Amino acid sequence: MAKVLTLLVLRILMNLLFIGWISLWIIKPTTLWIQSWHQAEDTIKHTFFGYYGLNFAVFSFPPIALSIIGLIYLSLLPQHHRPTRGGRSASITTSRPAIINSFIGIMPCFEIIALFLFLLFLAWTFYVRVTSDFKKLTPVKTMNFNLWQLKYFRVATRFGLLAEACLSLLLFPVLRGLSMFRLLNIQFAASVKYHVWLGTGLIFFSLLHGGSTLFIWTITHHIEEEPKKQIWKWQRTGRVYVAGLISLVTGLLMGITSLPQIRRKKFEVFYYTHHLYIVFLVAFLFHAGDRHFYWVLPGIFLFGLDKILRIVQSRSESRILSTRLFSCKAIELVLPKDPRLNYAPSSFIFVNIPLISQFQWHPFSITSSSSVDKHTLSVMIKCEGKWTNSVYNIVEEAVNSEKKINNITLRVEGPYGPASVDFLRYDNLFLVAGGIGITPFISILQELACKNRLKTTKRVQLVFAVRTFQELNMLLPVSSILFNPINNSSLKLKVYVTQEKKHSNETRTLQEFLAQSQVQSIHLGTDEDYSRFPIRGPESFILLATIVLVTMLTFLGFLIGLSHFFIPSEHKNHSQSMKLATSGAMKTDKEKVPSWVPDLVIIVSYVKAITIGGFAGKILQWRRQHREAPGLSKEEVKPEERNLTELILTAEEHEIHTGGRPKLEEILLEFEKNLIGWSSVGVLVCGPEPMKEAVASMCRQRRPQCFGVEDSGNKHMKMNLNFHSLNFNL
């Protein structure tokens, strides 16, 4: 009861923080807020806390606190908790597809609402700021602008605020270990598209801001008359325009190399160019100033800490215990893991193999289940690029070589995945996979087959589309599950081989295909590798929350301390200082100290705090490495041997269709006929984008009904479809 009450209190706190932070965004452009804020700054800037502490507390603290409370909330949830039946959950997990388009992808209702509200906020901010500017518009003699030029210049300036709003949210979707989207059960692979949208908006508004400013300066000959003063000189006070130009150029370069045409064909160009974000953010800070930067700071703070913790985790080496080479140019890697490491199905890891490349990291879905395999973790890789082919060739060479290779080391980051076994809340599952998209479903089937599970899904329909018969080999990891009952559940598999036709003299069943599959296996590791090179995964949620809290307090301490040291304070003799400043005998702080000094204070404080956060993560990792893991017996570490001959004797017949793609609507109707009563159906799809769009369209057309009420020509429909799209790559 106490735990439930604690979770309720934490959820209320998170909602209040989120609502409060959003409210600040809405009222910030108003005159009432501006006047009140200036008064608050004037009151507190002469205290020990200073205006920098006030800005951090009001603008930066809420989302960071939300992250800390969210991590504590996740730590108190039952491990991989199972939501309630019937497709209802306290968290937002899915929504019916509302827009299905090949260009923008699949957008559910909640995404459309969120996007609309964000665009409405941008329009509100722009309107309030511009109308306020026009009301108090006065000519600037030093710039020699006429009225329309001055108005356009103000409009160009306000476009910068819209770019700033996009930048404030830009880095939240690409957090991994510290992701707040996990509270909504939105995973990293799905949230990356929000980063793309916000990045597109950032570049668009930055171009309008920078391009319009340069346009006005050009037509008024402002650049020609005073170029050094206005653009190319690093100003002592006010806006640093050269920093804005640097920020604009680096942002454009990152945006151009992020286009699909470049990112997919020249991934390394995209990857290395994207590291210019450091230059971009530093230049933005010097251009916009420290007060504007406090809005952007939360995302940068959490991203930097998330990055340093991921680097710390990924420095630990692991070993490949065993591999299987499939004739379809796919490879399964079996890696050792700490038996205390648990993850939910559909999780993924990032893998780096130094023998191939020191810097390339590639994400892969986990095909094993931590409920079944306590000491190993498996991934399946389809060879479709230079890096993946290199992995295949190295292992193939080890198989064919007389000299056994047993030192293939790799680094692993993750696992990352959902906080709950979300698919178990559905009465039935309808799974659609294309090619290597079968990988997340392999882990789901293994989780369903776990003998320790009290309740499980009643019926499972798996539709697997491949191009050739050889690709059926990818079903080998779950062959024992396909041919035996899953905890009294009904599992039906329909395979579609789209680019080959079965000859008339070939009557082999799926079981025979799997039994006669050409698979090469090799054991590369030893029993000692289980304890010497286990994958331990990220730190626990409660320890991550502690690290975030310590790092935040460290940053705030450095920020206040360095500001008092480098920025003269008037709080000791404020009245006398103000009299001198008013009479002209003494310059105010703003005139005495260059505007880039507070910016440098933020940078130094940030670097020191993130470094301390990294040291904390390293210490925790060292403690985990030296904490003795449960002992292993030989039976536990011995790989499972699958006797396919015995499986065939007890196998249920599954269907193989050749020469065409699956007709999903017909398969769904057949699946519905076997349902008893009203049922919630989880529709999960993983594969090429056209396949996802086809499944999403099917779910959108079949709207839920109540107790046999007809809809869209479907009589007595007995199921409520809940669409989920899984990704096997990023």
Side-chain angles (χ1 to χ4, degrees), residues 638-673:
K638 185 178 180 181
E640 177 188 358
E641 299 292 340
R642 298 181 177 91
N643 191 332
L644 293 179
T645 304
E646 293 180 2
L647 292 175
I648 293 175
L649 297 177
T650 59
E652 176 188 346
E653 182 65 31
H654 296 289
E655 300 178 14
I656 300 181
H657 304 269
T658 59
R661 297 179 178 179
K663 297 180 180 179
L664 296 173
E665 187 66 35
E666 294 180 4
I667 300 173
L668 185 63
L669 286 173
E670 180 184 346
F671 179 73
E672 183 183 13
K673 291 178 182 178

Side-chain angles (χ1 to χ4, degrees), residues 150-170:
L150 187 57
K151 285 184 176 181
Y152 189 70
F153 183 73
R154 295 299 184 195
V155 169
T157 302
R158 295 313 178 188
F159 277 126
L161 291 179
L162 305 187
E164 179 186 316
C166 294
L167 180 59
S168 299
L169 303 176
L170 180 66

Side-chain angles (χ1 to χ4, degrees), residues 443-474:
S443 65
I444 288 176
L445 290 178
Q446 295 200 54
E447 185 72 22
L448 289 172
C450 179
K451 295 180 180 180
N452 297 327
R453 192 158 302 287
L454 298 176
K455 294 182 179 180
T456 188
T457 303
K458 298 175 183 177
R459 300 187 62 84
V460 181
Q461 173 68 69
L462 174 59
V463 181
F464 185 31
V466 294
R467 290 177 293 182
T468 64
F469 282 105
Q470 285 186 334
E471 292 182 76
L472 296 180
N473 294 345
M474 290 186 287

